[in-house]
Amino acid sequence: EFTVAGVPGAYATLTFRRHNAHEDFTPHVEFSTDLATWPITSVQVSNTDNGDGTRTEVWRSSTPVDAGTRLFGRVRFSQL
């Protein structure tokens, strides 16, 4: 649960680990309810250096998730 603009809500999160050496790739984290369209954008919550050449990133959905809603997440990378 996150508080956004003073309002607490349940948000889907996606966590992944990436190499620091690949700064030329930009992550695009997206969420979907049907795996066909990916209309729900995301917001980065944290970016933690692991001290071993990698970092762990946590992202959340831009909108709260209702109880019982099935949500899928994916990460796409594009090169700068």
Side-chain angles (χ1 to χ4, degrees), residues 36-61:
T37 58
W38 297 86
I40 303 170
T41 58
S42 62
V43 176
Q44 189 172 29
V45 174
S46 66
N47 184 352
T48 306
D49 191 312
N50 297 313
D52 62 357
T54 67
R55 66 179 177 256
T56 300
E57 296 186 14
V58 179
W59 295 71
R60 69 162 175 81
S61 59

Side-chain angles (χ1 to χ4, degrees), residues 6 9-10 23 35-36 48 50 54-56 60 62 69-70 76-77 79-80:
E23 290 293 326
L35 292 173
T48 306
N50 297 313
T54 67
R55 66 179 177 256
T56 300
R60 69 162 175 81
S62 59
T69 300
R70 194 156 65 169
R76 294 182 306 110
F77 285 90
Q79 192 169 12
L80 298 175

